Short mmCIF file of all heavy atoms in Angstrom, two decimals:
data_model
loop_
_atom_site.label_atom_id
_atom_site.label_comp_id
_atom_site.label_asym_id
_atom_site.label_seq_id
_atom_site.Cartn_x
_atom_site.Cartn_y
_atom_site.Cartn_z
N MET L 1414 93.95 103.10 89.83
CA MET L 1414 93.73 102.95 91.25
C MET L 1414 94.58 103.99 91.98
O MET L 1414 95.73 104.20 91.67
CB MET L 1414 94.14 101.54 91.66
CG MET L 1414 93.99 101.27 93.12
SD MET L 1414 94.48 99.61 93.66
CE MET L 1414 94.15 98.59 92.28
N SER L 1415 93.98 104.63 92.96
CA SER L 1415 94.68 105.69 93.69
C SER L 1415 95.71 105.11 94.65
O SER L 1415 95.67 103.93 95.01
CB SER L 1415 93.68 106.53 94.47
OG SER L 1415 93.20 105.81 95.60
N GLU L 1416 96.61 105.95 95.07
CA GLU L 1416 97.66 105.54 96.01
C GLU L 1416 97.04 105.12 97.35
O GLU L 1416 97.49 104.17 97.98
CB GLU L 1416 98.64 106.69 96.22
CG GLU L 1416 99.85 106.28 97.02
CD GLU L 1416 100.88 107.38 97.09
OE1 GLU L 1416 101.06 108.11 96.10
OE2 GLU L 1416 101.50 107.50 98.16
N VAL L 1417 96.01 105.81 97.77
CA VAL L 1417 95.33 105.49 99.03
C VAL L 1417 94.69 104.10 98.93
O VAL L 1417 94.81 103.28 99.84
CB VAL L 1417 94.27 106.56 99.39
CG1 VAL L 1417 93.42 106.12 100.56
CG2 VAL L 1417 94.94 107.89 99.67
N GLU L 1418 94.01 103.85 97.83
CA GLU L 1418 93.36 102.56 97.63
C GLU L 1418 94.40 101.44 97.57
O GLU L 1418 94.20 100.36 98.14
CB GLU L 1418 92.53 102.58 96.34
CG GLU L 1418 91.64 101.37 96.19
CD GLU L 1418 90.73 101.48 94.98
OE1 GLU L 1418 90.79 102.48 94.24
OE2 GLU L 1418 89.94 100.54 94.80
N ASN L 1419 95.49 101.69 96.91
CA ASN L 1419 96.58 100.71 96.82
C ASN L 1419 97.14 100.41 98.21
O ASN L 1419 97.39 99.26 98.55
CB ASN L 1419 97.68 101.25 95.92
CG ASN L 1419 98.18 100.22 94.97
OD1 ASN L 1419 97.65 99.12 94.87
ND2 ASN L 1419 99.20 100.59 94.23
N SER L 1420 97.35 101.45 98.98
CA SER L 1420 97.87 101.30 100.34
C SER L 1420 96.90 100.50 101.21
O SER L 1420 97.30 99.64 102.00
CB SER L 1420 98.12 102.68 100.94
OG SER L 1420 98.58 102.56 102.26
N TYR L 1421 95.61 100.78 101.05
CA TYR L 1421 94.58 100.07 101.82
C TYR L 1421 94.60 98.58 101.48
O TYR L 1421 94.54 97.73 102.36
CB TYR L 1421 93.20 100.65 101.53
CG TYR L 1421 92.10 99.93 102.25
CD1 TYR L 1421 91.86 100.17 103.59
CD2 TYR L 1421 91.34 98.96 101.61
CE1 TYR L 1421 90.86 99.48 104.27
CE2 TYR L 1421 90.34 98.27 102.28
CZ TYR L 1421 90.11 98.53 103.61
OH TYR L 1421 89.14 97.84 104.27
N LYS L 1422 94.70 98.25 100.19
CA LYS L 1422 94.75 96.85 99.77
C LYS L 1422 95.96 96.13 100.35
O LYS L 1422 95.87 95.00 100.80
CB LYS L 1422 94.79 96.74 98.25
CG LYS L 1422 93.47 96.72 97.58
CD LYS L 1422 93.69 96.43 96.10
CE LYS L 1422 92.43 96.48 95.33
NZ LYS L 1422 92.64 96.20 93.91
N GLU L 1423 97.11 96.79 100.31
CA GLU L 1423 98.33 96.19 100.84
C GLU L 1423 98.20 95.92 102.34
O GLU L 1423 98.60 94.88 102.83
CB GLU L 1423 99.55 97.08 100.56
CG GLU L 1423 99.96 97.10 99.11
CD GLU L 1423 100.26 95.73 98.54
OE1 GLU L 1423 100.97 94.94 99.19
OE2 GLU L 1423 99.77 95.43 97.44
N SER L 1424 97.62 96.86 103.05
CA SER L 1424 97.40 96.70 104.48
C SER L 1424 96.44 95.54 104.76
O SER L 1424 96.65 94.74 105.67
CB SER L 1424 96.86 97.99 105.08
OG SER L 1424 96.54 97.82 106.44
N LEU L 1425 95.41 95.45 103.95
CA LEU L 1425 94.43 94.38 104.10
C LEU L 1425 95.07 93.02 103.88
O LEU L 1425 94.88 92.08 104.67
CB LEU L 1425 93.27 94.58 103.12
CG LEU L 1425 92.16 93.53 103.15
CD1 LEU L 1425 91.48 93.50 104.52
CD2 LEU L 1425 91.15 93.82 102.05
N LYS L 1426 95.87 92.90 102.83
CA LYS L 1426 96.57 91.64 102.55
C LYS L 1426 97.45 91.24 103.73
O LYS L 1426 97.47 90.09 104.15
CB LYS L 1426 97.44 91.78 101.30
CG LYS L 1426 96.68 91.97 100.03
CD LYS L 1426 97.67 92.24 98.89
CE LYS L 1426 96.98 92.72 97.65
NZ LYS L 1426 97.95 93.03 96.58
N GLU L 1427 98.19 92.22 104.24
CA GLU L 1427 99.08 91.97 105.36
C GLU L 1427 98.31 91.47 106.58
O GLU L 1427 98.71 90.50 107.23
CB GLU L 1427 99.82 93.26 105.69
CG GLU L 1427 100.84 93.12 106.79
CD GLU L 1427 101.56 94.44 107.01
OE1 GLU L 1427 102.26 94.91 106.10
OE2 GLU L 1427 101.40 94.99 108.13
N LYS L 1428 97.20 92.11 106.88
CA LYS L 1428 96.39 91.71 108.03
C LYS L 1428 95.85 90.29 107.87
O LYS L 1428 95.83 89.51 108.83
CB LYS L 1428 95.23 92.68 108.24
CG LYS L 1428 95.66 94.02 108.77
CD LYS L 1428 94.47 94.97 108.85
CE LYS L 1428 94.89 96.34 109.30
NZ LYS L 1428 93.75 97.28 109.33
N ILE L 1429 95.39 89.96 106.67
CA ILE L 1429 94.87 88.62 106.41
C ILE L 1429 95.97 87.58 106.59
O ILE L 1429 95.76 86.54 107.23
CB ILE L 1429 94.25 88.53 105.00
CG1 ILE L 1429 92.99 89.40 104.92
CG2 ILE L 1429 93.94 87.09 104.63
CD1 ILE L 1429 92.47 89.61 103.51
N ILE L 1430 97.13 87.84 106.05
CA ILE L 1430 98.25 86.90 106.14
C ILE L 1430 98.66 86.69 107.60
O ILE L 1430 98.83 85.56 108.04
CB ILE L 1430 99.43 87.36 105.27
CG1 ILE L 1430 99.05 87.24 103.79
CG2 ILE L 1430 100.69 86.58 105.58
CD1 ILE L 1430 99.97 87.97 102.84
N PHE L 1431 98.81 87.77 108.34
CA PHE L 1431 99.19 87.64 109.75
C PHE L 1431 98.11 86.92 110.55
O PHE L 1431 98.41 86.10 111.42
CB PHE L 1431 99.47 89.02 110.37
CG PHE L 1431 100.87 89.50 110.13
CD1 PHE L 1431 101.12 90.47 109.16
CD2 PHE L 1431 101.94 89.01 110.86
CE1 PHE L 1431 102.40 90.92 108.92
CE2 PHE L 1431 103.24 89.46 110.63
CZ PHE L 1431 103.46 90.42 109.66
N CYS L 1432 96.86 87.22 110.27
CA CYS L 1432 95.75 86.58 110.97
C CYS L 1432 95.73 85.08 110.67
O CYS L 1432 95.58 84.26 111.59
CB CYS L 1432 94.43 87.23 110.56
SG CYS L 1432 93.00 86.67 111.51
N LEU L 1433 95.90 84.71 109.41
CA LEU L 1433 95.93 83.29 109.04
C LEU L 1433 97.09 82.57 109.72
O LEU L 1433 96.90 81.48 110.27
CB LEU L 1433 96.04 83.16 107.51
CG LEU L 1433 96.08 81.73 106.99
CD1 LEU L 1433 94.76 81.02 107.27
CD2 LEU L 1433 96.40 81.72 105.50
N ALA L 1434 98.25 83.18 109.70
CA ALA L 1434 99.43 82.58 110.33
C ALA L 1434 99.18 82.36 111.83
O ALA L 1434 99.50 81.30 112.37
CB ALA L 1434 100.66 83.45 110.12
N ASP L 1435 98.60 83.35 112.46
CA ASP L 1435 98.31 83.26 113.90
C ASP L 1435 97.28 82.17 114.19
O ASP L 1435 97.48 81.35 115.09
CB ASP L 1435 97.82 84.61 114.41
CG ASP L 1435 97.61 84.62 115.91
OD1 ASP L 1435 98.55 84.26 116.65
OD2 ASP L 1435 96.49 84.96 116.33
N ARG L 1436 96.21 82.16 113.45
CA ARG L 1436 95.13 81.19 113.69
C ARG L 1436 95.58 79.75 113.46
O ARG L 1436 95.18 78.84 114.19
CB ARG L 1436 93.95 81.46 112.78
CG ARG L 1436 93.14 82.66 113.14
CD ARG L 1436 91.96 82.77 112.20
NE ARG L 1436 91.18 83.97 112.43
CZ ARG L 1436 90.08 84.25 111.75
NH1 ARG L 1436 89.64 83.43 110.82
NH2 ARG L 1436 89.42 85.36 112.01
N LYS L 1437 96.37 79.54 112.43
CA LYS L 1437 96.76 78.18 112.03
C LYS L 1437 98.15 77.77 112.54
O LYS L 1437 98.58 76.65 112.29
CB LYS L 1437 96.73 78.05 110.50
CG LYS L 1437 95.37 78.22 109.89
CD LYS L 1437 94.49 77.05 110.26
CE LYS L 1437 93.19 77.08 109.51
NZ LYS L 1437 92.32 75.98 109.88
N GLY L 1438 98.83 78.69 113.21
CA GLY L 1438 100.17 78.38 113.70
C GLY L 1438 101.16 78.16 112.56
O GLY L 1438 102.03 77.30 112.65
N LEU L 1439 101.01 78.96 111.50
CA LEU L 1439 101.85 78.81 110.32
C LEU L 1439 102.99 79.83 110.33
O LEU L 1439 102.86 80.90 110.90
CB LEU L 1439 101.03 79.05 109.05
CG LEU L 1439 99.83 78.16 108.81
CD1 LEU L 1439 99.01 78.69 107.64
CD2 LEU L 1439 100.28 76.74 108.55
N GLU L 1440 104.06 79.49 109.63
CA GLU L 1440 105.10 80.47 109.38
C GLU L 1440 104.54 81.47 108.37
O GLU L 1440 103.69 81.13 107.55
CB GLU L 1440 106.35 79.80 108.83
CG GLU L 1440 107.03 78.89 109.84
CD GLU L 1440 108.33 78.32 109.33
OE1 GLU L 1440 108.90 78.86 108.35
OE2 GLU L 1440 108.77 77.33 109.91
N LEU L 1441 105.02 82.70 108.45
CA LEU L 1441 104.51 83.74 107.55
C LEU L 1441 104.67 83.37 106.08
O LEU L 1441 103.79 83.64 105.27
CB LEU L 1441 105.18 85.08 107.83
CG LEU L 1441 104.72 85.79 109.08
CD1 LEU L 1441 105.51 87.08 109.29
CD2 LEU L 1441 103.23 86.09 109.03
N GLU L 1442 105.77 82.74 105.74
CA GLU L 1442 106.01 82.34 104.35
C GLU L 1442 104.91 81.40 103.85
O GLU L 1442 104.41 81.55 102.74
CB GLU L 1442 107.37 81.68 104.22
CG GLU L 1442 107.75 81.37 102.79
CD GLU L 1442 109.15 80.79 102.70
OE1 GLU L 1442 110.11 81.56 102.91
OE2 GLU L 1442 109.26 79.59 102.41
N LYS L 1443 104.52 80.44 104.67
CA LYS L 1443 103.46 79.50 104.30
C LYS L 1443 102.11 80.22 104.20
O LYS L 1443 101.34 79.97 103.26
CB LYS L 1443 103.39 78.36 105.33
CG LYS L 1443 102.31 77.35 105.05
CD LYS L 1443 102.56 76.61 103.75
CE LYS L 1443 101.50 75.54 103.53
NZ LYS L 1443 101.56 74.96 102.20
N ALA L 1444 101.83 81.11 105.14
CA ALA L 1444 100.58 81.87 105.10
C ALA L 1444 100.53 82.74 103.86
O ALA L 1444 99.47 82.87 103.23
CB ALA L 1444 100.43 82.72 106.37
N MET L 1445 101.65 83.33 103.48
CA MET L 1445 101.71 84.14 102.27
C MET L 1445 101.45 83.28 101.04
O MET L 1445 100.71 83.69 100.14
CB MET L 1445 103.08 84.82 102.14
CG MET L 1445 103.29 85.95 103.11
SD MET L 1445 104.96 86.61 103.06
CE MET L 1445 105.02 87.27 101.42
N ASP L 1446 102.04 82.11 101.00
CA ASP L 1446 101.84 81.20 99.88
C ASP L 1446 100.36 80.83 99.74
O ASP L 1446 99.81 80.85 98.64
CB ASP L 1446 102.69 79.94 100.08
CG ASP L 1446 102.62 79.00 98.90
OD1 ASP L 1446 102.86 79.45 97.76
OD2 ASP L 1446 102.32 77.81 99.12
N ILE L 1447 99.74 80.51 100.86
CA ILE L 1447 98.31 80.17 100.84
C ILE L 1447 97.50 81.35 100.34
O ILE L 1447 96.64 81.21 99.47
CB ILE L 1447 97.84 79.73 102.24
CG1 ILE L 1447 98.46 78.37 102.60
CG2 ILE L 1447 96.32 79.66 102.31
CD1 ILE L 1447 98.28 77.97 104.06
N TYR L 1448 97.75 82.52 100.89
CA TYR L 1448 96.99 83.71 100.49
C TYR L 1448 97.15 84.02 99.00
O TYR L 1448 96.17 84.16 98.28
CB TYR L 1448 97.37 84.93 101.33
CG TYR L 1448 96.70 86.17 100.79
CD1 TYR L 1448 95.36 86.41 101.06
CD2 TYR L 1448 97.37 87.04 99.93
CE1 TYR L 1448 94.71 87.51 100.52
CE2 TYR L 1448 96.72 88.14 99.39
CZ TYR L 1448 95.40 88.37 99.68
OH TYR L 1448 94.75 89.44 99.12
N TYR L 1449 98.40 84.14 98.56
CA TYR L 1449 98.63 84.59 97.18
C TYR L 1449 98.22 83.57 96.12
O TYR L 1449 98.11 83.91 94.96
CB TYR L 1449 100.09 85.03 96.99
CG TYR L 1449 100.32 86.39 97.59
CD1 TYR L 1449 101.06 86.55 98.76
CD2 TYR L 1449 99.78 87.52 97.01
CE1 TYR L 1449 101.24 87.81 99.32
CE2 TYR L 1449 99.96 88.79 97.56
CZ TYR L 1449 100.69 88.91 98.72
OH TYR L 1449 100.88 90.16 99.26
N ASN L 1450 97.97 82.34 96.53
CA ASN L 1450 97.48 81.32 95.60
C ASN L 1450 95.99 81.05 95.77
O ASN L 1450 95.48 80.05 95.28
CB ASN L 1450 98.28 80.02 95.76
CG ASN L 1450 99.68 80.17 95.22
OD1 ASN L 1450 99.86 80.38 94.03
ND2 ASN L 1450 100.66 80.10 96.09
N SER L 1451 95.31 81.95 96.45
CA SER L 1451 93.90 81.73 96.76
C SER L 1451 92.98 82.51 95.83
O SER L 1451 93.36 83.51 95.20
CB SER L 1451 93.61 82.14 98.21
OG SER L 1451 93.66 83.55 98.33
N ARG L 1452 91.76 82.06 95.81
CA ARG L 1452 90.69 82.76 95.08
C ARG L 1452 90.45 84.13 95.73
O ARG L 1452 90.23 85.13 95.05
CB ARG L 1452 89.42 81.92 95.13
CG ARG L 1452 88.25 82.53 94.42
CD ARG L 1452 87.05 81.55 94.44
NE ARG L 1452 85.88 82.19 93.91
CZ ARG L 1452 84.95 82.79 94.64
NH1 ARG L 1452 85.04 82.81 95.95
NH2 ARG L 1452 83.91 83.37 94.07
N LEU L 1453 90.53 84.18 97.04
CA LEU L 1453 90.33 85.43 97.77
C LEU L 1453 91.31 86.51 97.31
O LEU L 1453 90.92 87.65 97.09
CB LEU L 1453 90.48 85.20 99.28
CG LEU L 1453 90.36 86.44 100.15
CD1 LEU L 1453 88.95 87.01 100.08
CD2 LEU L 1453 90.73 86.12 101.59
N ALA L 1454 92.57 86.15 97.15
CA ALA L 1454 93.58 87.11 96.69
C ALA L 1454 93.21 87.69 95.33
O ALA L 1454 93.33 88.90 95.10
CB ALA L 1454 94.95 86.46 96.63
N ARG L 1455 92.73 86.84 94.45
CA ARG L 1455 92.32 87.31 93.12
C ARG L 1455 91.12 88.24 93.20
O ARG L 1455 91.05 89.24 92.49
CB ARG L 1455 92.05 86.12 92.20
CG ARG L 1455 93.32 85.33 91.85
CD ARG L 1455 93.07 84.24 90.83
NE ARG L 1455 92.17 83.20 91.28
CZ ARG L 1455 92.52 82.16 92.03
NH1 ARG L 1455 93.78 82.02 92.42
NH2 ARG L 1455 91.63 81.24 92.38
N LEU L 1456 90.18 87.92 94.09
CA LEU L 1456 89.01 88.78 94.25
C LEU L 1456 89.38 90.15 94.82
O LEU L 1456 88.88 91.18 94.37
CB LEU L 1456 87.97 88.11 95.16
CG LEU L 1456 87.26 86.89 94.58
CD1 LEU L 1456 86.40 86.22 95.64
CD2 LEU L 1456 86.42 87.29 93.38
N ILE L 1457 90.26 90.15 95.80
CA ILE L 1457 90.70 91.42 96.40
C ILE L 1457 91.46 92.24 95.37
O ILE L 1457 91.24 93.45 95.24
CB ILE L 1457 91.54 91.18 97.67
CG1 ILE L 1457 90.64 90.64 98.78
CG2 ILE L 1457 92.26 92.45 98.11
CD1 ILE L 1457 91.38 90.18 100.02
N GLU L 1458 92.34 91.60 94.63
CA GLU L 1458 93.14 92.31 93.64
C GLU L 1458 92.26 92.95 92.56
O GLU L 1458 92.53 94.06 92.11
CB GLU L 1458 94.16 91.37 92.99
CG GLU L 1458 95.23 92.08 92.24
CD GLU L 1458 96.01 93.09 93.07
OE1 GLU L 1458 96.32 92.83 94.24
OE2 GLU L 1458 96.29 94.18 92.52
N SER L 1459 91.19 92.28 92.20
CA SER L 1459 90.31 92.82 91.16
C SER L 1459 89.21 93.72 91.73
O SER L 1459 88.42 94.28 90.99
CB SER L 1459 89.66 91.68 90.38
OG SER L 1459 88.74 90.99 91.19
N SER L 1460 89.19 93.84 93.04
CA SER L 1460 88.17 94.64 93.74
C SER L 1460 86.76 94.14 93.46
O SER L 1460 85.81 94.92 93.46
CB SER L 1460 88.29 96.11 93.38
OG SER L 1460 89.54 96.62 93.77
N ALA L 1461 86.62 92.86 93.23
CA ALA L 1461 85.32 92.26 92.90
C ALA L 1461 84.36 92.37 94.08
O ALA L 1461 84.73 92.13 95.23
CB ALA L 1461 85.50 90.79 92.53
N TYR L 1462 83.14 92.75 93.78
CA TYR L 1462 82.03 92.76 94.73
C TYR L 1462 82.28 93.64 95.96
O TYR L 1462 81.66 93.46 96.99
CB TYR L 1462 81.69 91.34 95.20
CG TYR L 1462 81.57 90.35 94.09
CD1 TYR L 1462 82.52 89.36 93.92
CD2 TYR L 1462 80.52 90.42 93.19
CE1 TYR L 1462 82.42 88.44 92.88
CE2 TYR L 1462 80.41 89.51 92.14
CZ TYR L 1462 81.37 88.52 92.00
OH TYR L 1462 81.26 87.63 90.97
N GLY L 1463 83.22 94.56 95.88
CA GLY L 1463 83.53 95.40 97.03
C GLY L 1463 84.13 94.62 98.19
O GLY L 1463 84.10 95.07 99.34
N ILE L 1464 84.69 93.46 97.89
CA ILE L 1464 85.20 92.54 98.91
C ILE L 1464 86.29 93.18 99.77
O ILE L 1464 86.42 92.87 100.95
CB ILE L 1464 85.69 91.23 98.27
CG1 ILE L 1464 85.84 90.15 99.33
CG2 ILE L 1464 86.97 91.44 97.49
CD1 ILE L 1464 86.00 88.76 98.77
N LYS L 1465 87.03 94.09 99.19
CA LYS L 1465 88.14 94.70 99.94
C LYS L 1465 87.67 95.55 101.12
O LYS L 1465 88.47 95.93 101.96
CB LYS L 1465 89.01 95.53 99.01
CG LYS L 1465 88.31 96.72 98.45
CD LYS L 1465 89.18 97.44 97.47
CE LYS L 1465 88.43 98.61 96.90
NZ LYS L 1465 89.12 99.23 95.82
N TYR L 1466 86.37 95.84 101.18
CA TYR L 1466 85.86 96.65 102.27
C TYR L 1466 85.36 95.83 103.46
O TYR L 1466 84.94 96.39 104.46
CB TYR L 1466 84.74 97.57 101.76
CG TYR L 1466 85.25 98.51 100.70
CD1 TYR L 1466 84.80 98.41 99.39
CD2 TYR L 1466 86.21 99.48 101.00
CE1 TYR L 1466 85.30 99.26 98.40
CE2 TYR L 1466 86.70 100.33 100.02
CZ TYR L 1466 86.24 100.22 98.73
OH TYR L 1466 86.73 101.05 97.76
N LEU L 1467 85.43 94.51 103.34
CA LEU L 1467 85.04 93.65 104.45
C LEU L 1467 86.16 93.60 105.49
O LEU L 1467 87.33 93.82 105.18
CB LEU L 1467 84.73 92.24 103.96
CG LEU L 1467 83.51 92.11 103.06
CD1 LEU L 1467 83.40 90.68 102.53
CD2 LEU L 1467 82.24 92.50 103.79
N ASP L 1468 85.81 93.27 106.69
CA ASP L 1468 86.78 93.15 107.78
C ASP L 1468 87.77 92.02 107.49
O ASP L 1468 87.37 90.96 106.99
CB ASP L 1468 86.03 92.87 109.09
CG ASP L 1468 86.95 92.84 110.27
OD1 ASP L 1468 87.25 93.91 110.82
OD2 ASP L 1468 87.40 91.73 110.66
N PHE L 1469 89.03 92.24 107.81
CA PHE L 1469 90.06 91.25 107.52
C PHE L 1469 89.80 89.91 108.22
O PHE L 1469 90.17 88.86 107.71
CB PHE L 1469 91.46 91.77 107.85
CG PHE L 1469 91.78 91.83 109.32
CD1 PHE L 1469 92.41 90.77 109.94
CD2 PHE L 1469 91.47 92.96 110.07
CE1 PHE L 1469 92.72 90.82 111.30
CE2 PHE L 1469 91.77 93.02 111.41
CZ PHE L 1469 92.40 91.94 112.04
N ARG L 1470 89.14 89.94 109.38
CA ARG L 1470 88.85 88.69 110.08
C ARG L 1470 87.80 87.88 109.33
O ARG L 1470 87.89 86.65 109.24
CB ARG L 1470 88.40 88.98 111.51
CG ARG L 1470 89.54 89.50 112.40
CD ARG L 1470 89.04 90.01 113.72
NE ARG L 1470 88.30 91.26 113.54
CZ ARG L 1470 88.77 92.46 113.85
NH1 ARG L 1470 89.96 92.58 114.39
NH2 ARG L 1470 88.06 93.54 113.65
N VAL L 1471 86.83 88.55 108.76
CA VAL L 1471 85.81 87.88 107.94
C VAL L 1471 86.47 87.30 106.69
O VAL L 1471 86.18 86.16 106.30
CB VAL L 1471 84.68 88.86 107.56
CG1 VAL L 1471 83.73 88.24 106.55
CG2 VAL L 1471 83.93 89.32 108.80
N LEU L 1472 87.35 88.05 106.09
CA LEU L 1472 88.04 87.57 104.90
C LEU L 1472 88.97 86.40 105.22
O LEU L 1472 89.08 85.46 104.43
CB LEU L 1472 88.81 88.71 104.23
CG LEU L 1472 87.92 89.82 103.68
CD1 LEU L 1472 88.76 91.01 103.23
CD2 LEU L 1472 87.07 89.30 102.53
N THR L 1473 89.59 86.44 106.39
CA THR L 1473 90.42 85.30 106.81
C THR L 1473 89.56 84.08 107.02
O THR L 1473 89.96 82.96 106.67
CB THR L 1473 91.22 85.65 108.09
OG1 THR L 1473 91.99 86.84 107.86
CG2 THR L 1473 92.16 84.52 108.46
N ASP L 1474 88.35 84.25 107.59
CA ASP L 1474 87.41 83.12 107.71
C ASP L 1474 87.16 82.49 106.35
O ASP L 1474 87.15 81.27 106.21
CB ASP L 1474 86.08 83.58 108.30
CG ASP L 1474 86.14 84.02 109.75
OD1 ASP L 1474 87.13 83.69 110.44
OD2 ASP L 1474 85.19 84.70 110.19
N GLU L 1475 86.95 83.32 105.36
CA GLU L 1475 86.68 82.83 104.00
C GLU L 1475 87.90 82.11 103.43
O GLU L 1475 87.78 81.08 102.77
CB GLU L 1475 86.25 83.96 103.08
CG GLU L 1475 84.88 84.53 103.41
CD GLU L 1475 83.79 83.47 103.43
OE1 GLU L 1475 83.69 82.68 102.46
OE2 GLU L 1475 83.04 83.42 104.42
N LEU L 1476 89.07 82.67 103.67
CA LEU L 1476 90.30 82.04 103.20
C LEU L 1476 90.47 80.67 103.84
O LEU L 1476 90.87 79.70 103.17
CB LEU L 1476 91.50 82.94 103.50
CG LEU L 1476 92.87 82.41 103.08
CD1 LEU L 1476 92.91 82.10 101.58
CD2 LEU L 1476 93.94 83.41 103.45
N GLU L 1477 90.17 80.56 105.11
CA GLU L 1477 90.30 79.27 105.80
C GLU L 1477 89.39 78.21 105.20
O GLU L 1477 89.72 77.02 105.24
CB GLU L 1477 90.00 79.43 107.30
CG GLU L 1477 91.10 80.13 108.04
CD GLU L 1477 90.82 80.22 109.53
OE1 GLU L 1477 89.84 80.93 109.89
OE2 GLU L 1477 91.55 79.59 110.30
N LYS L 1478 88.28 78.60 104.63
CA LYS L 1478 87.38 77.65 103.99
C LYS L 1478 87.98 77.06 102.72
O LYS L 1478 87.62 75.98 102.30
CB LYS L 1478 86.04 78.33 103.65
CG LYS L 1478 85.22 78.69 104.86
CD LYS L 1478 83.97 79.44 104.46
CE LYS L 1478 83.19 79.92 105.66
NZ LYS L 1478 82.01 80.71 105.28
N GLU L 1479 88.93 77.80 102.14
CA GLU L 1479 89.59 77.34 100.90
C GLU L 1479 90.67 76.30 101.17
O GLU L 1479 91.05 75.56 100.28
CB GLU L 1479 90.24 78.51 100.17
CG GLU L 1479 89.31 79.46 99.49
CD GLU L 1479 90.07 80.46 98.62
OE1 GLU L 1479 90.95 80.05 97.85
OE2 GLU L 1479 89.76 81.65 98.74
N ILE L 1480 91.20 76.30 102.37
CA ILE L 1480 92.35 75.40 102.64
C ILE L 1480 91.94 74.16 103.41
O ILE L 1480 90.90 74.02 103.92
CB ILE L 1480 93.48 76.13 103.39
CG1 ILE L 1480 93.00 76.74 104.70
CG2 ILE L 1480 94.08 77.18 102.51
CD1 ILE L 1480 94.10 77.38 105.52
#
């Protein structure tokens, strides 16, 4: 995986976590815990189905369905 792709994934994760925390009124630590223990995190990490190219708000919607 290239450095650019790695950087993009990290930015995407950060945006999802901040968005989830904001939407649910969660502390960042709790939002991180939810994200990193989710199916979505595994899909993004494996680059399955090109999921990492979706908008972070759409991905946060999907994450909210898991919790």
Side-chain angles (χ1 to χ4, degrees):
M1414 178 181 330
S1415 74
E1416 188 174 323
V1417 171
E1418 190 174 1
N1419 225 7
S1420 178
Y1421 178 79
K1422 272 187 184 180
E1423 289 303 314
S1424 175
L1425 179 62
K1426 293 174 192 178
E1427 183 178 296
K1428 288 176 183 178
I1429 292 168
I1430 291 166
F1431 276 102
C1432 187
L1433 180 65
D1435 184 54
R1436 286 183 184 183
K1437 296 291 189 181
L1439 301 171
E1440 293 185 19
L1441 285 177
E1442 186 176 289
K1443 179 64 177 170
M1445 287 174 65
D1446 184 53
I1447 291 169
Y1448 173 78
Y1449 283 108
N1450 288 297
S1451 71
R1452 180 176 173 265
L1453 177 66
R1455 292 186 297 277
L1456 290 173
I1457 290 172
E1458 195 56 40
S1459 69
S1460 299
Y1462 312 110
I1464 196 166
K1465 66 184 179 189
Y1466 299 113
L1467 294 174
D1468 184 84
F1469 75 92
R1470 290 170 289 256
V1471 172
L1472 295 171
T1473 304
D1474 292 343
E1475 291 304 310
L1476 179 57
E1477 286 182 295
K1478 292 176 185 177
E1479 287 189 47
I1480 57 176

